[in-house]
Amino acid sequence: MKIQKQQWGVDEHFPEEIIDKILLKLPVKDVIRCSAVCKLWNSLIKNPTFIQTHLKNQTHDGISKRLLLISRQSYDLHWDNPAALFGQYSNLRNPIRNSNWTKGIGGQVVGTCNGLVCLAVSSIHGDPCPPVILWNPSIRKFGFLPSPSRAVDCYRYESYYLCYDSRIDDYKVVRIVKEPYCQVEVEVWSLASGSAWKSLNNVPADFSPITSRHAFVNGAFHWVQRRLTRVEEEECTVSVVALDMVDESFRNVEIRQGFWRDSPPIISSYHGDGDQCWLALSEIQGISCFDLWVMKDYGVAESWTKLFSVRLLGSPEEEPCIEPFVFTKSGQVVVRMGRHGELNSFKSYDPKDKQFRDFGNQAYDYYFMDSFVESLVLLGQTNVFSY
């Protein structure tokens, strides 16, 4: 007996709003598979509203508690869960490493936001305007940013930062160019416009941030900057400067007096209870201790509050050294530590029980670490590549 197969569209049996709710609950990989079912689903999934709503669901459901760990040897996602010993979730393949697009150079991760990773290729390889790439490893797509208007001849004076402007649902990349005896230049690129870099003409004349560390809080990038007040006595003042990504204006953020001893404080963000994200400063107290301060009421200098201290115990002969690296959303502090000034291992510190635990692959020298959430961002974009 020959059985004839029935063919019908799923949308004929389920209302579109029901399909939408089901798809919004699925993980990214399953959503990508569903996009190949039919034209209706493909169009629905690539809709910017769907992509944004799916991202919010991922974040609010706690699915986003993962860490992106980048070393010279590996690109890995780990669970942001101390109970699971921060175990590995997956390994990521860098799409531009050993490719003709970047002359075989893999690039350096300089930022991540809502599932996007920003890669910058060093200019020391001979290209005065090396490529900058936005990459979404979850959907295996990436795209190249246009060449910046300002070329540099040394990478150490160039830095990039990635953020999300929730006000207009846009992703922006900030580029800072620092050259000796020249005023700092700042450029901004927008994914929504997709046009050329825009140079900011309102950069303060004394803007000289410590670009190795930054914090994105309250819609603005923040950097610590240090100025010499008396050159002959090497006296310095420390301040925090912010670049508001809504109106692209600069402002100073007040900090309490005394954030300065042997070295300037290390800036970061710190996730409190719920969705709170505070501006934080780690005040270095010698080589084996630091205090964490947070600004609980943004913009109010009196709201700076000391949350806890992290201290590494050891004999004076061992000279234990410690430095904050990342504050995870799970409340852990990832620190770099070592002896004799060499910070070559990583530990996680729990402020609740004040215990250090092994973290990551001790054979890897991680240079970048941040929270990560899988998303569909870039899915509906043109001028992107798949791999």
Side-chain angles (χ1 to χ4, degrees), residues 56-69:
K56 289 180 179 178
N57 287 349
Q58 294 279 101
T59 304
H60 292 158
D61 291 345
I63 305 173
S64 62
K65 286 193 174 181
R66 299 188 184 114
L67 284 173
L68 177 64
L69 276 63

Side-chain angles (χ1 to χ4, degrees), residues 22-50:
I22 294 173
L23 293 174
L24 284 171
K25 295 291 185 180
L26 297 177
V28 168
K29 290 182 180 179
D30 291 337
V31 174
I32 294 300
R33 293 190 186 100
C34 290
S35 67
V37 169
C38 62
K39 291 183 178 179
L40 173 64
W41 287 19
N42 185 277
S43 175
L44 176 66
I45 290 169
K46 289 184 177 179
N47 184 285
T49 301
F50 180 92

Side-chain angles (χ1 to χ4, degrees), residues 72-337:
R72 307 297 174 190
Q73 302 92 337
S74 179
Y75 287 52
D76 296 322
L77 279 178
H78 285 245
W79 295 105
D80 185 3
N81 185 354
L85 302 178
F86 299 98
Q88 184 173 328
Y89 170 74
S90 66
N91 178 263
L92 306 178
R93 176 186 153 219
N94 184 337
I96 64 168
R97 179 175 286 174
N98 302 321
S99 69
N100 293 329
W101 283 305
T102 58
K103 301 176 183 178
I105 304 166
Q108 186 175 35
V109 173
V110 294
T112 181
C113 177
N114 290 349
L116 288 184
V117 178
C118 187
L119 292 162
V121 176
S122 172
S123 59
I124 63 174
H125 297 284
D127 188 348
C129 286
V132 181
I133 299 99
L134 279 186
W135 167 39
N136 186 332
S138 302
I139 61 173
R140 298 172 63 87
K141 290 184 181 292
F142 67 96
F144 291 89
L145 275 61
S147 296
S149 58
R150 181 75 165 88
V152 294
D153 52 18
C154 184
Y155 182 77
R156 70 177 183 270
Y157 298 118
E158 183 182 34
S159 52
Y160 292 89
Y161 310 90
L162 172 65
C163 74
Y164 175 63
D165 187 345
S166 59
R167 180 182 57 94
I168 56 175
D169 186 26
D170 190 15
Y171 293 86
K172 296 179 179 180
V173 178
V174 173
R175 178 178 185 250
I176 294 181
V177 179
K178 296 171 65 177
E179 295 194 44
Y181 312 111
C182 296
Q183 183 176 348
V184 174
E185 298 185 25
V186 181
E187 295 179 298
V188 178
W189 179 85
S190 160
L191 177 63
S193 67
S195 57
W197 292 82
K198 179 177 71 174
S199 295
L200 301 186
N201 55 15
N202 59 339
V203 182
D206 59 352
F207 180 57
S208 183
I210 300 175
T211 54
S212 58
R213 297 291 187 104
H214 73 282
F216 188 75
V217 176
N218 205 44
F221 284 110
H222 298 75
W223 298 272
V224 169
Q225 62 180 9
R226 179 177 57 180
R227 299 191 189 96
L228 281 173
T229 53
R230 295 182 182 179
V231 179
E232 61 278 0
E233 298 180 17
E234 296 186 353
E235 288 189 6
C236 298
T237 58
V238 173
S239 62
V240 170
V241 63
L243 169 58
D244 194 314
M245 295 309 298
V246 173
D247 58 8
E248 296 172 352
S249 63
F250 292 84
R251 64 172 181 267
N252 290 320
V253 177
E254 286 191 67
I255 62 175
R256 73 175 190 88
Q257 298 300 315
F259 267 136
W260 168 260
R261 289 197 176 184
D262 297 328
S263 58
I266 297 175
I267 197 166
S268 64
S269 59
Y270 185 83
H271 296 272
D273 297 331
D275 295 330
Q276 291 177 319
C277 183
W278 296 318
L279 182 65
L281 289 173
S282 296
E283 186 176 15
I284 308 302
Q285 304 284 358
I287 63 173
S288 59
C289 178
F290 63 87
D291 300 331
L292 180 71
W293 293 76
V294 299
M295 189 181 230
K296 288 195 170 183
D297 190 0
Y298 185 81
V300 179
E302 293 76 19
S303 70
W304 282 103
T305 305
K306 180 180 174 180
L307 285 190
F308 54 81
S309 298
V310 179
R311 181 178 297 277
L312 183 62
L313 301 177
S315 63
E317 294 78 14
E318 293 178 329
E319 295 184 355
C321 303
I322 190 171
E323 179 182 274
F325 193 58
V326 169
F327 297 92
T328 76
K329 288 187 176 181
S330 63
Q332 303 294 297
V333 185
V334 178
V335 299
R336 294 199 307 169
M337 56 195 304

